[in-house]
Amino acid sequence: MEFQLDSKKKIIAVIIIVIIAAAVVLYLRESVFAFKASDYEDISRGMSQEEVTQVLGKRSKLLYEKVQDDGVVVTAYMWTNPDGSFVEARFENNKLKYKSERGLVSKNN
């Protein structure tokens, strides 16, 4: 009986450690990997969606994708930081045509 109790305590301790480790990883992922105003400035017209994703990170959301009458494929993506700041980007045939941001704070401000 004593062995079973010790085993249960060990299992509970391992579960608690795993939960704490997962919380730390999520926290670090959200805070360390947030993009900044300087990252926004690093993206420029003509870059591909993949290149923009390399700068801003993989946490993008496809807003829309459509094919225009002239055959141009238009897509728009949004990247959002944990603090609510975001970047939107519009691509035509996988080339950045328009970008906007809201809430990014520059060190110069």
Side-chain angles (χ1 to χ4, degrees):
M1 192 73 163
E2 186 176 324
F3 175 74
Q4 288 179 347
L5 185 58
D6 287 340
S7 294
K8 288 180 183 178
K9 286 181 182 178
K10 289 178 184 177
I11 290 172
I12 290 171
V14 168
I15 291 171
I16 290 171
I17 290 170
V18 168
I19 291 171
I20 291 171
V24 168
V25 166
L26 288 174
Y27 170 77
L28 290 175
R29 188 181 87 182
E30 294 298 322
S31 61
V32 172
F33 298 112
F35 51 86
K36 300 169 182 58
S38 61
D39 297 321
Y40 175 77
E41 296 302 324
D42 287 343
I43 61 174
S44 58
R45 287 180 57 123
M47 292 176 74
S48 70
Q49 189 267 330
E50 292 79 15
E51 291 170 322
V52 173
T53 297
Q54 286 177 354
V55 175
L56 298 178
K58 295 185 185 250
R59 296 178 297 149
S60 65
K61 175 183 177 185
L62 177 65
L63 299 176
Y64 63 85
E65 181 174 22
K66 64 181 178 180
V67 179
Q68 297 179 350
D69 292 339
D70 60 1
V72 174
V73 178
V74 178
T75 55
Y77 290 87
M78 178 187 289
W79 288 260
T80 305
N81 275 330
D83 67 359
S85 60
F86 65 88
V87 170
E88 288 184 7
R90 180 176 177 226
F91 299 86
E92 293 181 9
N93 290 334
N94 197 35
K95 297 294 180 193
L96 181 63
K97 293 293 181 183
Y98 174 78
K99 68 177 184 174
S100 65
E101 62 87 13
R102 180 155 315 196
L104 294 179
V105 179
S106 173
K107 290 182 179 179
N108 298 331
N109 292 345

mmCIF file of all heavy atoms in Angstrom, residues 12-60:
data_model
loop_
_atom_site.group_PDB
_atom_site.id
_atom_site.type_symbol
_atom_site.label_atom_id
_atom_site.label_comp_id
_atom_site.label_asym_id
_atom_site.label_seq_id
_atom_site.Cartn_x
_atom_site.Cartn_y
_atom_site.Cartn_z
ATOM 1 N N ILE A 12 1.627 12.414 -9.715
ATOM 2 C CA ILE A 12 1.065 13.752 -9.534
ATOM 3 C C ILE A 12 2.157 14.809 -9.688
ATOM 4 O O ILE A 12 1.957 15.831 -10.334
ATOM 5 C CB ILE A 12 0.351 13.875 -8.165
ATOM 6 C CG1 ILE A 12 -0.927 13.022 -8.189
ATOM 7 C CG2 ILE A 12 0.025 15.323 -7.836
ATOM 8 C CD1 ILE A 12 -1.606 12.876 -6.841
ATOM 9 N N ALA A 13 3.335 14.546 -9.132
ATOM 10 C CA ALA A 13 4.445 15.490 -9.254
ATOM 11 C C ALA A 13 4.858 15.657 -10.709
ATOM 12 O O ALA A 13 5.108 16.782 -11.170
ATOM 13 C CB ALA A 13 5.626 15.033 -8.401
ATOM 14 N N VAL A 14 4.917 14.576 -11.451
ATOM 15 C CA VAL A 14 5.277 14.640 -12.870
ATOM 16 C C VAL A 14 4.228 15.432 -13.652
ATOM 17 O O VAL A 14 4.566 16.274 -14.491
ATOM 18 C CB VAL A 14 5.463 13.219 -13.457
ATOM 19 C CG1 VAL A 14 5.535 13.257 -14.974
ATOM 20 C CG2 VAL A 14 6.698 12.550 -12.872
ATOM 21 N N ILE A 15 2.961 15.198 -13.368
ATOM 22 C CA ILE A 15 1.884 15.931 -14.044
ATOM 23 C C ILE A 15 1.996 17.423 -13.762
ATOM 24 O O ILE A 15 1.875 18.255 -14.670
ATOM 25 C CB ILE A 15 0.504 15.373 -13.632
ATOM 26 C CG1 ILE A 15 0.317 13.973 -14.217
ATOM 27 C CG2 ILE A 15 -0.618 16.306 -14.081
ATOM 28 C CD1 ILE A 15 -0.909 13.236 -13.708
ATOM 29 N N ILE A 16 2.258 17.788 -12.527
ATOM 30 C CA ILE A 16 2.399 19.204 -12.160
ATOM 31 C C ILE A 16 3.593 19.824 -12.890
ATOM 32 O O ILE A 16 3.503 20.929 -13.412
ATOM 33 C CB ILE A 16 2.520 19.362 -10.630
ATOM 34 C CG1 ILE A 16 1.183 19.029 -9.969
ATOM 35 C CG2 ILE A 16 2.978 20.761 -10.260
ATOM 36 C CD1 ILE A 16 1.231 18.932 -8.460
ATOM 37 N N ILE A 17 4.694 19.117 -12.945
ATOM 38 C CA ILE A 17 5.884 19.616 -13.643
ATOM 39 C C ILE A 17 5.592 19.815 -15.128
ATOM 40 O O ILE A 17 5.980 20.829 -15.719
ATOM 41 C CB ILE A 17 7.086 18.667 -13.424
ATOM 42 C CG1 ILE A 17 7.547 18.765 -11.962
ATOM 43 C CG2 ILE A 17 8.220 18.980 -14.383
ATOM 44 C CD1 ILE A 17 8.547 17.711 -11.562
ATOM 45 N N VAL A 18 4.887 18.878 -15.743
ATOM 46 C CA VAL A 18 4.545 18.988 -17.164
ATOM 47 C C VAL A 18 3.640 20.196 -17.403
ATOM 48 O O VAL A 18 3.840 20.961 -18.355
ATOM 49 C CB VAL A 18 3.890 17.690 -17.677
ATOM 50 C CG1 VAL A 18 3.259 17.877 -19.044
ATOM 51 C CG2 VAL A 18 4.913 16.559 -17.710
ATOM 52 N N ILE A 19 2.664 20.415 -16.541
ATOM 53 C CA ILE A 19 1.757 21.562 -16.681
ATOM 54 C C ILE A 19 2.527 22.875 -16.545
ATOM 55 O O ILE A 19 2.343 23.804 -17.336
ATOM 56 C CB ILE A 19 0.605 21.476 -15.663
ATOM 57 C CG1 ILE A 19 -0.325 20.320 -16.030
ATOM 58 C CG2 ILE A 19 -0.163 22.790 -15.579
ATOM 59 C CD1 ILE A 19 -1.370 19.994 -14.982
ATOM 60 N N ILE A 20 3.404 22.964 -15.581
ATOM 61 C CA ILE A 20 4.196 24.178 -15.387
ATOM 62 C C ILE A 20 5.119 24.404 -16.586
ATOM 63 O O ILE A 20 5.228 25.531 -17.081
ATOM 64 C CB ILE A 20 5.007 24.100 -14.071
ATOM 65 C CG1 ILE A 20 4.051 24.179 -12.874
ATOM 66 C CG2 ILE A 20 6.057 25.204 -14.007
ATOM 67 C CD1 ILE A 20 4.701 23.889 -11.543
ATOM 68 N N ALA A 21 5.753 23.356 -17.066
ATOM 69 C CA ALA A 21 6.640 23.488 -18.232
ATOM 70 C C ALA A 21 5.859 23.953 -19.458
ATOM 71 O O ALA A 21 6.330 24.824 -20.201
ATOM 72 C CB ALA A 21 7.342 22.160 -18.512
ATOM 73 N N ALA A 22 4.674 23.416 -19.670
ATOM 74 C CA ALA A 22 3.851 23.830 -20.807
ATOM 75 C C ALA A 22 3.454 25.296 -20.683
ATOM 76 O O ALA A 22 3.470 26.036 -21.672
ATOM 77 C CB ALA A 22 2.606 22.943 -20.903
ATOM 78 N N ALA A 23 3.113 25.738 -19.485
ATOM 79 C CA ALA A 23 2.752 27.141 -19.277
ATOM 80 C C ALA A 23 3.935 28.062 -19.561
ATOM 81 O O ALA A 23 3.774 29.122 -20.174
ATOM 82 C CB ALA A 23 2.241 27.346 -17.848
ATOM 83 N N VAL A 24 5.122 27.670 -19.140
ATOM 84 C CA VAL A 24 6.324 28.474 -19.397
ATOM 85 C C VAL A 24 6.601 28.552 -20.894
ATOM 86 O O VAL A 24 6.894 29.632 -21.430
ATOM 87 C CB VAL A 24 7.542 27.905 -18.631
ATOM 88 C CG1 VAL A 24 8.836 28.525 -19.112
ATOM 89 C CG2 VAL A 24 7.370 28.100 -17.136
ATOM 90 N N VAL A 25 6.489 27.445 -21.586
ATOM 91 C CA VAL A 25 6.721 27.426 -23.035
ATOM 92 C C VAL A 25 5.720 28.335 -23.744
ATOM 93 O O VAL A 25 6.094 29.122 -24.615
ATOM 94 C CB VAL A 25 6.650 25.986 -23.590
ATOM 95 C CG1 VAL A 25 6.551 25.975 -25.104
ATOM 96 C CG2 VAL A 25 7.846 25.173 -23.126
ATOM 97 N N LEU A 26 4.454 28.267 -23.386
ATOM 98 C CA LEU A 26 3.444 29.128 -23.998
ATOM 99 C C LEU A 26 3.727 30.598 -23.721
ATOM 100 O O LEU A 26 3.616 31.443 -24.607
ATOM 101 C CB LEU A 26 2.048 28.753 -23.509
ATOM 102 C CG LEU A 26 1.483 27.447 -24.052
ATOM 103 C CD1 LEU A 26 0.152 27.116 -23.373
ATOM 104 C CD2 LEU A 26 1.311 27.520 -25.551
ATOM 105 N N TYR A 27 4.105 30.917 -22.501
ATOM 106 C CA TYR A 27 4.420 32.297 -22.148
ATOM 107 C C TYR A 27 5.597 32.815 -22.969
ATOM 108 O O TYR A 27 5.549 33.896 -23.542
ATOM 109 C CB TYR A 27 4.728 32.416 -20.657
ATOM 110 C CG TYR A 27 5.281 33.774 -20.301
ATOM 111 C CD1 TYR A 27 4.445 34.878 -20.191
ATOM 112 C CD2 TYR A 27 6.650 33.951 -20.107
ATOM 113 C CE1 TYR A 27 4.961 36.131 -19.893
ATOM 114 C CE2 TYR A 27 7.173 35.206 -19.809
ATOM 115 C CZ TYR A 27 6.320 36.283 -19.697
ATOM 116 O OH TYR A 27 6.832 37.513 -19.411
ATOM 117 N N LEU A 28 6.649 32.028 -23.040
ATOM 118 C CA LEU A 28 7.834 32.442 -23.793
ATOM 119 C C LEU A 28 7.530 32.572 -25.278
ATOM 120 O O LEU A 28 7.994 33.504 -25.933
ATOM 121 C CB LEU A 28 8.985 31.471 -23.562
ATOM 122 C CG LEU A 28 9.601 31.490 -22.169
ATOM 123 C CD1 LEU A 28 10.648 30.397 -22.039
ATOM 124 C CD2 LEU A 28 10.202 32.853 -21.866
ATOM 125 N N ARG A 29 6.757 31.650 -25.793
ATOM 126 C CA ARG A 29 6.404 31.699 -27.210
ATOM 127 C C ARG A 29 5.646 32.977 -27.534
ATOM 128 O O ARG A 29 5.877 33.624 -28.538
ATOM 129 C CB ARG A 29 5.565 30.482 -27.598
ATOM 130 C CG ARG A 29 5.335 30.381 -29.090
ATOM 131 C CD ARG A 29 4.497 29.203 -29.445
ATOM 132 N NE ARG A 29 3.113 29.647 -29.337
ATOM 133 C CZ ARG A 29 2.070 28.890 -29.543
ATOM 134 N NH1 ARG A 29 2.233 27.629 -29.827
ATOM 135 N NH2 ARG A 29 0.860 29.359 -29.449
ATOM 136 N N GLU A 30 4.743 33.375 -26.657
ATOM 137 C CA GLU A 30 3.940 34.567 -26.890
ATOM 138 C C GLU A 30 4.737 35.849 -26.693
ATOM 139 O O GLU A 30 4.537 36.818 -27.404
ATOM 140 C CB GLU A 30 2.713 34.571 -25.973
ATOM 141 C CG GLU A 30 1.727 33.461 -26.271
ATOM 142 C CD GLU A 30 1.145 33.554 -27.671
ATOM 143 O OE1 GLU A 30 0.885 34.671 -28.135
ATOM 144 O OE2 GLU A 30 0.969 32.512 -28.307
ATOM 145 N N SER A 31 5.634 35.888 -25.722
ATOM 146 C CA SER A 31 6.329 37.139 -25.434
ATOM 147 C C SER A 31 7.633 37.271 -26.208
ATOM 148 O O SER A 31 7.942 38.339 -26.727
ATOM 149 C CB SER A 31 6.593 37.267 -23.935
ATOM 150 O OG SER A 31 7.404 36.213 -23.487
ATOM 151 N N VAL A 32 8.394 36.224 -26.300
ATOM 152 C CA VAL A 32 9.698 36.285 -26.956
ATOM 153 C C VAL A 32 9.542 36.382 -28.467
ATOM 154 O O VAL A 32 10.295 37.088 -29.130
ATOM 155 C CB VAL A 32 10.563 35.061 -26.571
ATOM 156 C CG1 VAL A 32 11.834 35.015 -27.385
ATOM 157 C CG2 VAL A 32 10.872 35.084 -25.095
ATOM 158 N N PHE A 33 8.558 35.718 -29.019
ATOM 159 C CA PHE A 33 8.420 35.653 -30.464
ATOM 160 C C PHE A 33 7.450 36.685 -31.025
ATOM 161 O O PHE A 33 7.054 36.592 -32.172
ATOM 162 C CB PHE A 33 8.028 34.237 -30.891
ATOM 163 C CG PHE A 33 9.072 33.219 -30.540
ATOM 164 C CD1 PHE A 33 8.834 32.263 -29.586
ATOM 165 C CD2 PHE A 33 10.316 33.254 -31.148
ATOM 166 C CE1 PHE A 33 9.812 31.337 -29.250
ATOM 167 C CE2 PHE A 33 11.298 32.336 -30.812
ATOM 168 C CZ PHE A 33 11.039 31.372 -29.861
ATOM 169 N N ALA A 34 7.078 37.679 -30.236
ATOM 170 C CA ALA A 34 6.235 38.751 -30.741
ATOM 171 C C ALA A 34 7.053 39.612 -31.694
ATOM 172 O O ALA A 34 8.234 39.844 -31.479
ATOM 173 C CB ALA A 34 5.700 39.583 -29.582
ATOM 174 N N PHE A 35 6.423 40.063 -32.762
ATOM 175 C CA PHE A 35 7.132 40.929 -33.699
ATOM 176 C C PHE A 35 7.047 42.376 -33.220
ATOM 177 O O PHE A 35 6.207 42.737 -32.412
ATOM 178 C CB PHE A 35 6.584 40.785 -35.126
ATOM 179 C CG PHE A 35 5.102 40.922 -35.240
ATOM 180 C CD1 PHE A 35 4.522 42.172 -35.379
ATOM 181 C CD2 PHE A 35 4.283 39.810 -35.202
ATOM 182 C CE1 PHE A 35 3.150 42.302 -35.485
ATOM 183 C CE2 PHE A 35 2.913 39.933 -35.311
ATOM 184 C CZ PHE A 35 2.347 41.189 -35.446
ATOM 185 N N LYS A 36 7.957 43.179 -33.730
ATOM 186 C CA LYS A 36 8.109 44.564 -33.283
ATOM 187 C C LYS A 36 7.944 45.513 -34.462
ATOM 188 O O LYS A 36 7.888 45.087 -35.615
ATOM 189 C CB LYS A 36 9.485 44.743 -32.645
ATOM 190 C CG LYS A 36 9.716 43.843 -31.444
ATOM 191 C CD LYS A 36 11.180 43.871 -31.036
ATOM 192 C CE LYS A 36 11.470 42.951 -29.889
ATOM 193 N NZ LYS A 36 11.149 41.572 -30.069
ATOM 194 N N ALA A 37 7.909 46.818 -34.170
ATOM 195 C CA ALA A 37 7.808 47.831 -35.221
ATOM 196 C C ALA A 37 8.971 47.707 -36.205
ATOM 197 O O ALA A 37 8.789 47.881 -37.418
ATOM 198 C CB ALA A 37 7.761 49.223 -34.604
ATOM 199 N N SER A 38 10.156 47.387 -35.708
ATOM 200 C CA SER A 38 11.316 47.239 -36.601
ATOM 201 C C SER A 38 11.124 46.070 -37.570
ATOM 202 O O SER A 38 11.581 46.128 -38.719
ATOM 203 C CB SER A 38 12.598 47.057 -35.785
ATOM 204 O OG SER A 38 12.522 45.898 -34.983
ATOM 205 N N ASP A 39 10.436 45.017 -37.125
ATOM 206 C CA ASP A 39 10.134 43.898 -38.026
ATOM 207 C C ASP A 39 9.178 44.352 -39.130
ATOM 208 O O ASP A 39 9.338 43.992 -40.299
ATOM 209 C CB ASP A 39 9.527 42.727 -37.254
ATOM 210 C CG ASP A 39 10.484 42.148 -36.231
ATOM 211 O OD1 ASP A 39 11.689 42.052 -36.531
ATOM 212 O OD2 ASP A 39 10.021 41.800 -35.130
ATOM 213 N N TYR A 40 8.185 45.156 -38.744
ATOM 214 C CA TYR A 40 7.242 45.702 -39.723
ATOM 215 C C TYR A 40 7.995 46.517 -40.776
ATOM 216 O O TYR A 40 7.724 46.418 -41.973
ATOM 217 C CB TYR A 40 6.198 46.566 -39.018
ATOM 218 C CG TYR A 40 5.259 47.275 -39.948
ATOM 219 C CD1 TYR A 40 4.215 46.593 -40.568
ATOM 220 C CD2 TYR A 40 5.413 48.629 -40.211
ATOM 221 C CE1 TYR A 40 3.349 47.248 -41.431
ATOM 222 C CE2 TYR A 40 4.545 49.298 -41.071
ATOM 223 C CZ TYR A 40 3.514 48.601 -41.673
ATOM 224 O OH TYR A 40 2.656 49.250 -42.522
ATOM 225 N N GLU A 41 8.950 47.307 -40.334
ATOM 226 C CA GLU A 41 9.728 48.124 -41.264
ATOM 227 C C GLU A 41 10.592 47.259 -42.188
ATOM 228 O O GLU A 41 10.940 47.697 -43.288
ATOM 229 C CB GLU A 41 10.599 49.129 -40.505
ATOM 230 C CG GLU A 41 9.808 50.143 -39.714
ATOM 231 C CD GLU A 41 8.849 50.971 -40.557
ATOM 232 O OE1 GLU A 41 9.189 51.292 -41.712
ATOM 233 O OE2 GLU A 41 7.753 51.291 -40.063
ATOM 234 N N ASP A 42 10.928 46.057 -41.755
ATOM 235 C CA ASP A 42 11.772 45.159 -42.554
ATOM 236 C C ASP A 42 11.025 44.508 -43.712
ATOM 237 O O ASP A 42 11.660 43.952 -44.611
ATOM 238 C CB ASP A 42 12.389 44.064 -41.679
ATOM 239 C CG ASP A 42 13.501 44.588 -40.789
ATOM 240 O OD1 ASP A 42 14.015 45.700 -41.057
ATOM 241 O OD2 ASP A 42 13.850 43.884 -39.816
ATOM 242 N N ILE A 43 9.704 44.525 -43.677
ATOM 243 C CA ILE A 43 8.954 43.931 -44.792
ATOM 244 C C ILE A 43 8.675 45.024 -45.826
ATOM 245 O O ILE A 43 8.400 46.168 -45.493
ATOM 246 C CB ILE A 43 7.668 43.208 -44.340
ATOM 247 C CG1 ILE A 43 6.688 44.148 -43.658
ATOM 248 C CG2 ILE A 43 8.005 42.035 -43.438
ATOM 249 C CD1 ILE A 43 5.353 43.506 -43.318
ATOM 250 N N SER A 44 8.797 44.656 -47.095
ATOM 251 C CA SER A 44 8.651 45.654 -48.159
ATOM 252 C C SER A 44 7.919 45.068 -49.362
ATOM 253 O O SER A 44 7.852 43.846 -49.544
ATOM 254 C CB SER A 44 10.023 46.180 -48.580
ATOM 255 O OG SER A 44 10.845 45.126 -49.015
ATOM 256 N N ARG A 45 7.408 45.988 -50.176
ATOM 257 C CA ARG A 45 6.687 45.583 -51.385
ATOM 258 C C ARG A 45 7.539 44.638 -52.223
ATOM 259 O O ARG A 45 8.746 44.809 -52.326
ATOM 260 C CB ARG A 45 6.330 46.809 -52.211
ATOM 261 C CG ARG A 45 5.225 47.638 -51.614
ATOM 262 C CD ARG A 45 4.943 48.828 -52.493
ATOM 263 N NE ARG A 45 4.601 48.383 -53.841
ATOM 264 C CZ ARG A 45 3.473 48.675 -54.472
ATOM 265 N NH1 ARG A 45 2.587 49.426 -53.904
ATOM 266 N NH2 ARG A 45 3.249 48.224 -55.688
ATOM 267 N N GLY A 46 6.855 43.647 -52.774
ATOM 268 C CA GLY A 46 7.537 42.687 -53.629
ATOM 269 C C GLY A 46 7.967 41.415 -52.924
ATOM 270 O O GLY A 46 8.274 40.423 -53.576
ATOM 271 N N MET A 47 7.987 41.447 -51.589
ATOM 272 C CA MET A 47 8.354 40.226 -50.850
ATOM 273 C C MET A 47 7.231 39.198 -50.994
ATOM 274 O O MET A 47 6.059 39.548 -51.130
ATOM 275 C CB MET A 47 8.571 40.537 -49.367
ATOM 276 C CG MET A 47 9.788 41.396 -49.087
ATOM 277 S SD MET A 47 9.966 41.837 -47.331
ATOM 278 C CE MET A 47 10.532 40.270 -46.651
ATOM 279 N N SER A 48 7.586 37.926 -50.935
ATOM 280 C CA SER A 48 6.586 36.859 -50.972
ATOM 281 C C SER A 48 5.963 36.681 -49.589
ATOM 282 O O SER A 48 6.500 37.169 -48.585
ATOM 283 C CB SER A 48 7.236 35.544 -51.417
ATOM 284 O OG SER A 48 8.100 35.067 -50.400
ATOM 285 N N GLN A 49 4.859 35.976 -49.559
ATOM 286 C CA GLN A 49 4.206 35.693 -48.276
ATOM 287 C C GLN A 49 5.141 34.897 -47.382
ATOM 288 O O GLN A 49 5.200 35.120 -46.177
ATOM 289 C CB GLN A 49 2.881 34.944 -48.508
ATOM 290 C CG GLN A 49 2.020 34.801 -47.274
ATOM 291 C CD GLN A 49 2.257 33.496 -46.523
ATOM 292 O OE1 GLN A 49 2.600 32.481 -47.121
ATOM 293 N NE2 GLN A 49 2.075 33.523 -45.232
ATOM 294 N N GLU A 50 5.919 34.000 -47.952
ATOM 295 C CA GLU A 50 6.865 33.208 -47.174
ATOM 296 C C GLU A 50 7.957 34.097 -46.568
ATOM 297 O O GLU A 50 8.357 33.911 -45.422
ATOM 298 C CB GLU A 50 7.490 32.111 -48.041
ATOM 299 C CG GLU A 50 6.514 31.027 -48.473
ATOM 300 C CD GLU A 50 5.630 31.439 -49.659
ATOM 301 O OE1 GLU A 50 5.933 32.447 -50.351
ATOM 302 O OE2 GLU A 50 4.607 30.769 -49.874
ATOM 303 N N GLU A 51 8.431 35.066 -47.324
ATOM 304 C CA GLU A 51 9.457 35.976 -46.816
ATOM 305 C C GLU A 51 8.909 36.846 -45.684
ATOM 306 O O GLU A 51 9.583 37.068 -44.680
ATOM 307 C CB GLU A 51 9.992 36.868 -47.944
ATOM 308 C CG GLU A 51 10.814 36.110 -48.962
ATOM 309 C CD GLU A 51 11.139 36.934 -50.200
ATOM 310 O OE1 GLU A 51 10.279 37.711 -50.661
ATOM 311 O OE2 GLU A 51 12.274 36.783 -50.705
ATOM 312 N N VAL A 52 7.688 37.328 -45.837
ATOM 313 C CA VAL A 52 7.061 38.122 -44.782
ATOM 314 C C VAL A 52 6.870 37.261 -43.527
ATOM 315 O O VAL A 52 7.130 37.713 -42.410
ATOM 316 C CB VAL A 52 5.723 38.725 -45.256
ATOM 317 C CG1 VAL A 52 4.980 39.404 -44.113
ATOM 318 C CG2 VAL A 52 5.968 39.712 -46.400
ATOM 319 N N THR A 53 6.473 36.017 -43.728
ATOM 320 C CA THR A 53 6.288 35.098 -42.600
ATOM 321 C C THR A 53 7.608 34.848 -41.882
ATOM 322 O O THR A 53 7.634 34.731 -40.656
ATOM 323 C CB THR A 53 5.664 33.771 -43.076
ATOM 324 O OG1 THR A 53 4.362 34.053 -43.593
ATOM 325 C CG2 THR A 53 5.549 32.764 -41.947
ATOM 326 N N GLN A 54 8.711 34.808 -42.589
ATOM 327 C CA GLN A 54 10.020 34.641 -41.942
ATOM 328 C C GLN A 54 10.321 35.811 -41.013
ATOM 329 O O GLN A 54 10.948 35.640 -39.977
ATOM 330 C CB GLN A 54 11.130 34.497 -42.984
ATOM 331 C CG GLN A 54 11.139 33.166 -43.680
ATOM 332 C CD GLN A 54 12.206 33.077 -44.756
ATOM 333 O OE1 GLN A 54 12.883 34.047 -45.078
ATOM 334 N NE2 GLN A 54 12.350 31.896 -45.333
ATOM 335 N N VAL A 55 9.868 36.991 -41.378
ATOM 336 C CA VAL A 55 10.116 38.176 -40.557
ATOM 337 C C VAL A 55 9.147 38.254 -39.384
ATOM 338 O O VAL A 55 9.549 38.488 -38.244
ATOM 339 C CB VAL A 55 10.021 39.464 -41.409
ATOM 340 C CG1 VAL A 55 10.154 40.709 -40.532
ATOM 341 C CG2 VAL A 55 11.086 39.467 -42.503
ATOM 342 N N LEU A 56 7.851 38.043 -39.655
ATOM 343 C CA LEU A 56 6.818 38.254 -38.631
ATOM 344 C C LEU A 56 6.477 37.003 -37.825
ATOM 345 O O LEU A 56 5.890 37.115 -36.756
ATOM 346 C CB LEU A 56 5.543 38.796 -39.276
ATOM 347 C CG LEU A 56 5.676 40.153 -39.974
ATOM 348 C CD1 LEU A 56 4.347 40.540 -40.602
ATOM 349 C CD2 LEU A 56 6.168 41.213 -39.007
ATOM 350 N N GLY A 57 6.814 35.846 -38.327
ATOM 351 C CA GLY A 57 6.505 34.602 -37.614
ATOM 352 C C GLY A 57 5.361 33.847 -38.270
ATOM 353 O O GLY A 57 4.657 34.367 -39.132
ATOM 354 N N LYS A 58 5.190 32.635 -37.854
ATOM 355 C CA LYS A 58 4.236 31.733 -38.497
ATOM 356 C C LYS A 58 2.801 31.902 -38.031
ATOM 357 O O LYS A 58 1.911 31.258 -38.539
ATOM 358 C CB LYS A 58 4.670 30.280 -38.290
ATOM 359 C CG LYS A 58 5.971 29.973 -38.979
ATOM 360 C CD LYS A 58 6.331 28.513 -38.876
ATOM 361 C CE LYS A 58 7.681 28.282 -39.454
ATOM 362 N NZ LYS A 58 7.705 27.560 -40.675
ATOM 363 N N ARG A 59 2.583 32.767 -37.065
ATOM 364 C CA ARG A 59 1.227 32.895 -36.516
ATOM 365 C C ARG A 59 0.380 33.858 -37.331
ATOM 366 O O ARG A 59 -0.050 34.889 -36.856
ATOM 367 C CB ARG A 59 1.285 33.353 -35.062
ATOM 368 C CG ARG A 59 1.946 32.342 -34.158
ATOM 369 C CD ARG A 59 2.029 32.821 -32.748
ATOM 370 N NE ARG A 59 2.870 34.012 -32.712
ATOM 371 C CZ ARG A 59 2.725 34.994 -31.848
ATOM 372 N NH1 ARG A 59 1.795 34.953 -30.952
ATOM 373 N NH2 ARG A 59 3.529 36.040 -31.873
ATOM 374 N N SER A 60 0.130 33.522 -38.575
ATOM 375 C CA SER A 60 -0.692 34.380 -39.418
ATOM 376 C C SER A 60 -2.058 33.745 -39.630
ATOM 377 O O SER A 60 -2.233 32.541 -39.489
ATOM 378 C CB SER A 60 -0.023 34.625 -40.769
ATOM 379 O OG SER A 60 0.072 33.421 -41.496
#
